[in-house]
Amino acid sequence: MAAEFDLINQYFRFSSTEQTSTLLDVETGVGDDAAVLNIGDSRFVVATDTLVEGVHFPVAMEPRYVASRAFGVNLSDFAAMGVRPKWLTLSLCVPAYNETWLAEFSYELEQLCSQYSLALVGGDTVRGNLCIGFTVMGTSDNGCLLRSGAQAEDDVWVSGYLGNAAAALALLQNTAHTDWPLTPSERRVLLDAFYKPKPRIELGLSLQKIATSAIDISDGLLADAGHVAKRSSVGLAVNSSDIPVAQSLMRYPEKKRISDWVMRGGDDYELLFTAPKHQRKNINQLSKQLGINLSRIGYVFSGEGILLDGAVASEQQLAGYTHF
Amino acid sequence: MAAEFDLINQYFRFSSTEQTSTLLDVETGVGDDAAVLNIGDSRFVVATDTLVEGVHFPVAMEPRYVASRAFGVNLSDFAAMGVRPKWLTLSLCVPAYNETWLAEFSYELEQLCSQYSLALVGGDTVRGNLCIGFTVMGTSDNGCLLRSGAQAEDDVWVSGYLGNAAAALALLQNTAHTDWPLTPSERRVLLDAFYKPKPRIELGLSLQKIATSAIDISDGLLADAGHVAKRSSVGLAVNSSDIPVAQSLMRYPEKKRISDWVMRGGDDYELLFTAPKHQRKNINQLSKQLGINLSRIGYVFSGEGILLDGAVASEQQLAGYTHF
């Protein structure tokens, strides 16, 4: 998203003082993927995300994809925290009472709740421009993966293939090159990356005892690597040739655009995580076990900022890509 | 709100089956003021509400009032449940990055969080038409007041004075009669009822051991009485002459409009509750103790629906009042 909207969050950090946090049982507040609250002996985890038509997804997108995209984006925060989501509330803002739209949206949401064993426990529906806000909640007795745990010498890993969702959006917006050879199934895979981002819940849970930090890639690979670097007070180095990119994307006629999609595209909701070198074998085993591609794309160093192929990443590279 | 938006909620009750509820530790889900989740020995309570510019408040309302109104409306659900709110997340959708607006909104929110001992623990800011979604959370070890506990023979009570917020909206929308004699301070009191609805948290907490059911008046006195009647499988009888109305409102030149504001206006976020007759003395003591007017306006009977001055309330009376 536009960088100015990150600035906005600066206005809402007033409860982040140590005093308030201790007093009110807040373990992790504004700034990580989710907030962690202490309730008795349990940790309660809560994350909220709102998607706006025309900002986070194209106007007139099919309702079932509005549901699946909003669901995936929201659960992804829990994947990054290594916590199993259990409940959600929905704030649905719709311009009109359209039964077909509502039936398709709610049917898809019901399927997804069932698939991920989530209960929709509340919410409200109001009239206005289409926007979908979920608040996802769960508990964790095993702690949480944070952005702040990366250590110098750790490896940097990502799941899946990057850039697919950004490329899909170019297809949806008719801004993709017409000379791009894509089979129908390749096209489908790309579109699904945008329509139905898969929250990497099982991966996140498995990484609890393996990774030192994690984040979901929403702003863009380099931007999100930057978030981990900043919160962990370290630097992250990324080798572009190690970044996993789908074959179909590699055939796109303009190399510069591929690079933008992969490095700055965001929207893939894959996990970026750091782990000690001695975990490589475990991570490769985990990849096989879950059937998810896991790629080692760099390393953590003492210092700050992001190195891309040995060069300091520019502000522009770190800024992410504005789709709308 | 428009009745069709209540229908929408019918699409989102798929997690309300007994099986899902037991499996996923949901004690009270979609349909009450808030959801109640079981976490270890604790009850976790969560409620969400979204306010949209031009639907729930007038266009270009001052940012500090946007904050105070959204805050009051959201905390009111907790007042009605008799639970102390502790944490909140914010989903803020703003059309542009306006520093003055954001500074004033966040300053007001910070003041209110401090006043009510709440921590803002997360949220996101997105671009779009102005809308404010809060998710409020808290824990309760003493159970919760629900809409469903009203018993035949109980008294029906309301807090504060009704109709003020609806009258304020008429002032704001310039639809109020020009011959309405109002002192500046009376005008201020009315406007504050809309701008800064006071969530009746302390009252709700005190009613835990006194009341059999409670709801906050958001849709309108008769509409919300209808919700209690339905959920409790009883009828509620209301005497119009016992409803507390401010002197300033009584001087409005059109009696029909006063009645609409008071009976159907909603937006006051006062509490309507039911309690056994033997609690009258306790309730009157509580009124003095908290400095909140508490009025006995009717009784609960075996049956169904709402009686107003002995006559069955019409669909129109029960529908609430659409302001926009």
Side-chain angles (χ1 to χ4, degrees):
Chain A
M1 289 307 308
E4 63 181 31
F5 280 78
D6 292 335
L7 291 175
I8 291 179
N9 285 315
Q10 300 303 328
Y11 286 101
F12 300 106
R13 289 185 182 276
F14 49 72
S15 298
S16 300
T17 62
E18 201 173 322
Q19 195 194 359
T20 309
S21 298
T22 308
L23 209 65
L24 293 168
D25 298 323
V26 180
E27 197 170 303
T28 310
V30 172
D32 220 296
D33 289 295
V36 184
L37 314 173
N38 294 316
I39 299 176
D41 296 331
S42 298
R43 281 192 183 82
F44 190 84
V45 183
V46 55
T48 193
D49 255 316
T50 301
L51 281 79
V52 181
E53 186 180 51
V55 178
H56 301 99
F57 58 89
V59 170
M61 191 160 90
E62 279 185 55
R64 60 182 167 144
Y65 295 142
V66 174
S68 57
R69 181 158 171 79
F71 187 89
V73 167
N74 271 275
L75 262 67
S76 180
D77 286 325
F78 270 67
M81 302 281 281
V83 175
R84 189 178 293 286
K86 197 161 172 183
W87 307 284
L88 84 166
T89 65
L90 166 66
S91 260
L92 179 64
C93 193
V94 288
Y97 181 68
N98 176 332
E99 281 196 52
T100 307
W101 196 97
L102 287 164
E104 288 185 15
F105 178 89
S106 71
Y107 179 79
E108 182 69 24
L109 184 57
E110 181 171 4
Q111 299 301 309
L112 289 165
C113 282
S114 166
Q115 187 184 336
Y116 286 86
S117 300
L118 255 88
L120 180 72
V121 296
D124 68 343
T125 39
V126 297
R127 182 164 53 86
N129 284 16
L130 182 61
C131 83
I132 298 95
F134 280 120
T135 297
V136 186
M137 295 161 282
T139 54
S140 169
D141 299 323
N142 307 315
C144 302
L145 275 172
L146 300 179
R147 298 178 178 187
S148 54
Q151 302 286 327
E153 311 293 315
D154 279 355
D155 294 324
V156 177
W157 296 79
V158 291
S159 65
Y161 296 89
L162 301 187
N164 287 6
L169 198 49
L171 289 172
L172 291 172
Q173 294 179 323
N174 290 314
T175 62
H177 207 290
T178 48
D179 287 342
W180 184 11
L182 279 181
T183 67
S185 85
E186 284 173 341
R187 192 184 161 88
R188 190 71 241 169
V189 167
L190 294 182
L191 289 177
D192 279 354
F194 186 82
Y195 285 148
K196 302 189 271 188
K198 282 200 185 71
R200 300 297 195 185
I201 302 294
E202 296 305 323
L203 175 60
L205 287 165
S206 305
L207 287 175
Q208 271 276 8
K209 291 181 175 159
I210 293 175
T212 51
S213 76
I215 193 170
D216 61 323
I217 300 176
S218 56
D219 294 339
L221 171 64
L222 298 183
D224 288 313
H227 298 322
V228 169
K230 193 170 180 186
R231 300 276 295 193
S232 298
S233 304
V234 293
L236 266 65
V238 173
N239 304 317
S240 61
S241 58
D242 293 331
I243 300 173
V245 182
Q247 283 300 322
S248 57
L249 228 67
M250 295 297 282
R251 289 200 302 272
Y252 190 77
E254 299 164 46
K255 295 295 165 209
K256 168 74 177 68
R257 191 129 191 235
I258 303 175
S259 163
D260 266 354
W261 288 336
V262 171
M263 305 284 186
R264 300 172 54 211
D267 282 328
D268 285 311
Y269 296 94
E270 294 293 350
L271 296 189
L272 178 148
F273 59 96
T274 58
K277 288 191 182 106
H278 66 82
Q279 293 286 6
R280 287 180 189 174
K281 200 176 151 193
N282 288 333
I283 293 170
N284 288 325
Q285 273 178 347
L286 189 61
S287 171
K288 280 181 200 140
Q289 188 190 319
L290 297 176
I292 299 174
N293 193 49
L294 298 177
S295 309
R296 185 156 55 84
I297 63 163
Y299 60 92
V300 181
F301 61 90
S302 297
E304 59 176 28
I306 301 299
L307 292 180
L308 180 63
D309 300 329
V312 176
S314 67
E315 281 295 316
Q316 195 200 7
Q317 284 173 317
L318 289 174
Y321 188 79
T322 305
H323 299 290
F324 290 88
Chain B
M1 288 305 308
E4 62 181 34
F5 280 78
D6 293 334
L7 291 175
I8 291 179
N9 285 315
Q10 300 303 326
Y11 286 101
F12 299 105
R13 287 185 184 276
F14 49 75
S15 297
S16 301
T17 63
E18 201 173 321
Q19 196 195 357
T20 309
S21 298
T22 308
L23 209 64
L24 292 169
D25 299 323
V26 180
E27 198 169 302
T28 310
V30 172
D32 220 295
D33 289 294
V36 184
L37 314 173
N38 294 315
I39 298 177
D41 296 333
S42 298
R43 280 193 184 82
F44 189 85
V45 183
V46 55
T48 192
D49 255 318
T50 300
L51 281 80
V52 181
E53 184 179 51
V55 178
H56 302 98
F57 59 88
V59 171
M61 191 159 92
E62 279 185 55
R64 62 184 167 144
Y65 295 142
V66 174
S68 58
R69 181 158 172 78
F71 187 89
V73 167
N74 271 275
L75 261 67
S76 179
D77 287 324
F78 270 67
M81 302 281 281
V83 176
R84 189 178 293 286
K86 197 162 171 183
W87 307 282
L88 85 164
T89 65
L90 164 67
S91 260
L92 178 65
C93 194
V94 288
Y97 180 69
N98 177 331
E99 281 196 52
T100 307
W101 195 98
L102 287 164
E104 287 185 15
F105 179 89
S106 70
Y107 179 79
E108 182 71 22
L109 185 57
E110 181 171 2
Q111 299 301 308
L112 289 165
C113 281
S114 165
Q115 187 183 338
Y116 285 86
S117 300
L118 255 87
L120 180 71
V121 296
D124 68 343
T125 39
V126 297
R127 181 165 54 88
N129 285 14
L130 183 61
C131 86
I132 298 93
F134 280 120
T135 297
V136 187
M137 296 162 280
T139 55
S140 168
D141 299 323
N142 308 315
C144 302
L145 276 171
L146 299 178
R147 298 177 178 188
S148 55
Q151 303 286 328
E153 311 294 315
D154 279 354
D155 295 324
V156 176
W157 296 80
V158 291
S159 65
Y161 297 89
L162 300 187
N164 288 7
L169 199 49
L171 290 172
L172 291 174
Q173 293 178 326
N174 290 313
T175 62
H177 207 291
T178 48
D179 288 343
W180 185 9
L182 278 181
T183 67
S185 85
E186 284 172 341
R187 191 183 161 89
R188 190 69 241 173
V189 166
L190 294 182
L191 289 178
D192 278 352
F194 186 82
Y195 286 148
K196 303 189 270 188
K198 282 200 184 69
R200 300 297 195 185
I201 302 293
E202 296 305 323
L203 175 60
L205 287 165
S206 304
L207 288 174
Q208 271 276 10
K209 291 182 175 158
I210 293 175
T212 52
S213 75
I215 193 170
D216 60 324
I217 300 176
S218 55
D219 294 340
L221 171 64
L222 298 182
D224 288 312
H227 297 321
V228 169
K230 193 170 180 186
R231 300 275 296 193
S232 299
S233 303
V234 293
L236 266 65
V238 173
N239 304 317
S240 61
S241 59
D242 294 330
I243 300 172
V245 182
Q247 284 300 321
S248 57
L249 228 65
M250 295 298 281
R251 289 200 302 272
Y252 190 79
E254 299 164 44
K255 294 294 164 210
K256 169 74 176 69
R257 190 128 191 236
I258 302 176
S259 165
D260 266 353
W261 288 336
V262 171
M263 306 283 186
R264 300 171 56 211
D267 283 328
D268 285 311
Y269 296 93
E270 293 292 350
L271 296 190
L272 178 148
F273 59 96
T274 58
K277 288 191 182 103
H278 66 81
Q279 294 286 6
R280 286 179 190 176
K281 198 176 152 195
N282 288 333
I283 293 170
N284 287 325
Q285 273 178 347
L286 190 59
S287 170
K288 278 180 203 142
Q289 187 189 320
L290 298 176
I292 299 174
N293 193 49
L294 298 178
S295 309
R296 184 156 55 83
I297 63 163
Y299 60 92
V300 182
F301 60 90
S302 298
E304 57 175 30
I306 301 299
L307 293 179
L308 179 63
D309 299 329
V312 176
S314 67
E315 281 296 315
Q316 196 199 6
Q317 285 174 315
L318 289 174
Y321 188 78
T322 305
H323 299 289
F324 289 87

